[in-house]
Each structure stands twice: as structure tokens, then as C-alpha cells.
Amino acid sequence: MEKRNEGRVILFPLPLQGCINPMLQLAKIFFTKGFSITIIHTRFNAPKSSDHSLFTFLQIPDGLSETETQSRDVLLQLTLLNNNCENPFRECLAKLIKPSSGSGTEERIISCLIDDSGWVFTQSVAESFNLPRFVLCAYKFSFFLGHLLVPQLRCEGFLPVLESEAEELVPVFPPLRKKDLSRIMGTNAQSEPLDAYLHKILEATKPASGIIVLSCEELDQESLAESHKVFTFPIFPIGPFHIHDVPASSSSLFEPDQSCVPWLDKKETSSVIYVSLGSIASLSESDFLEIACGLGNTNQSFLWVVRPGSVRGRDWIESLPSGFMESLESKGKIVRWAPQLDVLAHRATGGFLTHNGWNSTLESICEGVPMICLPFVWDQMLNARCISEVWRIGIHLEGRIEKREIERAVTRLMVESEGDEIRGRIKVLRDEVRRSVKHGGSSSRSLDELVDRILSC
């Protein structure tokens, strides 16, 4: 632990699981560098403050109704949150910067504000308090640069994609193929609000003091080299955050089933395929059953996370055929949520069927676990392409949720020689990425530069 200094860092995560995780990991990194930490958060998806006793948590109202919190329309939620939270955030920040006498608030110099790139009002608020603002990019940086081009791509007529062009690469957004674009750019009904939101992100990011990236040079070298074409300030790739030397703690919005690890303890090394499609994706009942049958038809043990409500129209797994679980005996285990870092680090885990969110992708790389890619939306499409075509550390299902495809992909990864080759490549990449956060590594150097910049602001 480094010596405490007089600086306080204010962090403001977007209230989505994939955004809360890296922000709280970043908070722990800054705490070890001597900063005091205050987390401002919304009522919606509030982080569990009891898991982080060394930080100060301040909740602001977000104005979301119960119906809006249950919506599957993430863009709608983000739009409403940005509309509703500006005044409460400004008031909360004002109290921190100019505490009233007798308020009991510990007076420390506020060094900077760090918030997620998805907050589009925070730059103007920070400027009104003369407070440096750093933007957290919780994506692979190449996606962050590329997704700002979505309005331009739409204007250039990339949609609709002709079937004959579906497999072609998108020149300005590598390694995406044209068929991936429709799943990133959304429907015609979504085009106007999405393009407007992305424009606001760009305009709110350009005046910031810097971007903190949940990646490292080893995973994003080309896009980091290109960043000067868009931004004039420094970029700080200091990821992966979770493998920095910081105290472990949970930031999950769901309660993990701790029986996963004892179950894995009974399995042979690299014999289990872990299946988890993240905190947002949902499946039709027919797709859910195809995955179930595909997993059941393999000779591999599997640990499958099925989030309650993630099968549309069902509470949990009640649509499984009668006797399905009994027929598996001890081969398969289904849980509502898993302690993912522990699962991926377990010697028994030999593969990961994933939605390819960036957090999950980084966690899998850092443990050397090869992937089967089943992306659904947004940056998952690009992450899956990098995994299957750039780094070649996984197999892409290409959206084919069919029992024979699932069974075949699991067999290729877990049994055949192709899987051995993939496993060898991901172990090399794992070692490179893990070295980046060690003393003298690329992420470690970048973190030192970031701390120096914050202290000099």
C-alpha cells in the first residue's frame, strides 16, 4: 500500500454490470496509489457498498420508474439516465467540493472526476467546478474508436447489407465483417437516437483530460497508435484492471452460487466447458433448448449460468425436457450466477462459451481459457472477431444456435487437435497480457503516467 496523499478521486459508473465491475476495480487501483475514493452512483443497480468498506458511496436519484428499470432497451435506459441525473449529480458534486460547515464531510482536495464514457453531461458539470475529468473506456479501444463512426457508416449506406457482401470486412472498422454491422447499428427505428447519443459521447469526450482504457498495448496497439487522429489528449491503457495487485472483492449485482468451485474440484483438469452469456443477453426458449441439447449431447462436463429471466417468457429453466438434469447425472451443473473469476481460474475449466463482453473476454484471456464465441450485441461482435480471427484463441459460432453446432464447437475446442493449438496460442497471449501490469510492463508504465498527470492537474 502506498502512502496516503491528500487527493480524493470521484468515480461515477454507469449502472450496468459490465460498467460497474471495471469502475470499482479502477477505484481499488487508485486506492493502492494513495488516493481516497468516493463513488457516486444511481439508485438503479446500486453497487453493494458493504463489499467496499474503504470507499465512500453516495447515492443520487435517477428518476427511473420500475418499468424502466426492467426494460431490455439499454439505449432507452441510458438516454433516460442522462436526462434525469444531471441535476442530482451536480448537487452531489457541489456538496463534495464545497462542504457546508458542520456537515461532517472529510475535506480533501478533489483531484479529478472519472466517469464512464456513456455519461454525456459530466464534462460540462466538471468544467463548471474547474475539475479535471477523465473518461473510462470500458471497451476494447478499437471498438471505442470504431463505434464513434457508426453515424458516418450509416450515412455511407452500409445498411442494408447485401447477402453477397456479408462476409466482406468493414474497411474503417476492422476486423468486423459487414454482416456484423446490423447487430451494432440497430434497426431503422433505433438509428436516430443511437446516432445522436454517439455524437454526444464524442463531443463530451474531446474536451476531457484523458481516456483511461480497460485494455493494454498488447491487445490494442494499432488503435492506440491511431488515437491521435481523433483525440489530442493522452490515452492511458492500464488494463486489465482485475489483475493489478489490488485487494480482491466482489462487485457483482447478482449473488454467485458458491457451490460451483467444490463441484469443479471433483472434475479432471481442463475437462469442463463453462457457459455464461452475461448480465443482459436474453434467449428465446427454442435457442435455450438448442444449447441445452447441444451441451447434453457432448461427452464434456459443463457448468452453465442461466440468469433468472434470461429465457424469454420463463422464470428460469422450467422449459428443460423432463428428466434432462437427471440424465446428466454429475456431468452438468446449472446455476443462476457464478463466481466467474474463480471458475475461469480453476484448473478444471477448459473452455468458455461466452457472449464476448469485454470483461469476460479479458478474464478468459488472463486465465488462458479458450473461447467459443456467441456474441449478441454491440462490442461483443468485434470482440468475437478478434478472438476467432486476429488472436485465433477461440471458435466463432457465427450466430448459429443449433444443437449440432454447439456440440461440434465444444468437441473441436475440448477434444480435437484444433483445440490444443488454440490453447497454446491463448497461453502465449495470457503471459503477454499478464506481464503488462507487472513493474516495467506497458500497463504499469501507463498507470504511473496517469497518476502523475492527475497529481499535476
Side-chain angles (χ1 to χ4, degrees), residues 9 182 231 234 260 320 324-325 332 374 416 418:
V9 174
S182 60
F231 302 111
C260 295
L320 285 175
F324 177 82
M325 292 303 297
L374 185 57
E416 297 180 0
E418 179 184 6

Side-chain angles (χ1 to χ4, degrees), residues 99-107:
S100 59
S101 60
S103 66
T105 302
E106 181 186 7
E107 291 196 38

Side-chain angles (χ1 to χ4, degrees), residues 214-383:
L214 179 57
S215 190
C216 57
E217 290 181 6
E218 286 74 7
L219 297 175
D220 254 318
Q221 188 170 12
E222 290 185 11
S223 56
L224 289 166
E226 294 289 309
S227 64
H228 70 279
K229 296 180 180 179
V230 182
F231 302 111
T232 58
F233 48 64
I235 312 295
F236 301 96
I238 65 170
F241 298 168
H242 76 281
I243 58 171
H244 280 265
D245 186 17
V246 296
S249 61
S250 172
S251 55
S252 176
L253 295 172
F254 308 100
E255 190 64 36
D257 187 334
Q258 298 297 340
S259 68
C260 295
V261 174
W263 184 83
L264 287 168
D265 288 342
K266 300 174 184 177
K267 302 299 178 183
E268 295 181 6
T269 298
S270 300
S271 65
V272 176
I273 182 80
Y274 171 54
V275 184
S276 179
L277 302 178
S279 60
I280 293 177
S282 62
L283 292 168
S284 67
E285 186 175 30
S286 61
D287 284 346
F288 170 69
L289 292 173
E290 289 292 322
I291 293 175
C293 291
L295 293 172
N297 288 344
T298 71
N299 290 320
Q300 300 301 131
S301 295
F302 63 85
L303 172 61
W304 185 10
V305 175
V306 181
R307 203 179 69 254
S310 62
V311 181
R312 295 191 287 273
R314 298 290 181 177
D315 291 331
W316 192 38
I317 60 172
E318 58 271 23
S319 55
L320 285 175
S322 177
F324 177 82
M325 292 303 297
E326 292 78 5
S327 69
L328 297 174
E329 297 179 345
S330 62
K331 188 181 86 168
K333 182 177 178 65
I334 300 179
V335 297
R336 290 172 170 81
W337 198 248
Q340 182 160 291
L341 285 172
D342 293 335
V343 170
L344 289 172
H346 200 285
R347 57 156 187 84
T349 303
F352 184 13
L353 199 167
T354 172
H355 64 305
N356 297 118
W358 188 231
N359 286 307
S360 291
T361 297
L362 283 178
E363 290 163 7
S364 203
I365 289 172
C366 289
E367 299 303 335
V369 178
M371 287 163 269
I372 297 173
C373 304
L374 185 57
F376 287 82
V377 294
W378 209 226
D379 66 317
Q380 299 166 16
M381 313 305 295
L382 180 136
N383 298 338

